[in-house]
Amino acid sequence: TTPFQQYDLEGPVQPEMSWLPISYDRKTGQGCYLMRMQPGAVTIAHEHQGMEEFLVLEGDLVDSDGTVFGPGDFVSYEAGTRHNSWTEGGCLLAVFEWRRP
């Protein structure tokens, strides 16, 4: 199996988070990756240049608007959305970042 890497997509390394690039291209900011957040992890507030969509595979995720997501929930954010998220018990997400044609 391929090991998860230190998560640094929002700038500094966040040791409570890790990621596994699948088709993600850092140059274009597009593609798919798995993201693992340890219990209590919080993402840095960020603005999306393109679409961000994710599927919660395991655990829980709470968005900055208070919405709680769990396994099987699919979430879609339009370009320009600014938010951050956190997890109480930890989670695993499949993340898809892309731009509309």
Side-chain angles (χ1 to χ4, degrees), residues 1-6 18-21 34 36:
T1 61
T2 305
F4 276 65
Q5 304 171 13
Q6 290 185 318
S18 58
W19 75 307
L20 179 62
L34 295 179
R36 179 173 285 138

Side-chain angles (χ1 to χ4, degrees), residues 35-83:
M35 182 167 127
R36 179 173 285 138
M37 298 174 67
Q38 299 303 318
V42 179
T43 67
I44 295 170
H46 54 280
E47 183 171 320
H48 296 287
Q49 302 306 308
M51 295 288 296
E52 180 191 61
E53 298 179 310
F54 61 85
L55 175 65
V56 180
L57 300 174
E58 300 172 359
D60 67 274
L61 188 73
V62 183
D63 199 63
S64 52
D65 69 2
T67 305
V68 179
F69 303 109
D73 285 339
F74 184 80
V75 183
S76 182
Y77 293 108
E78 291 288 338
T81 300
R82 184 169 177 78
H83 75 121

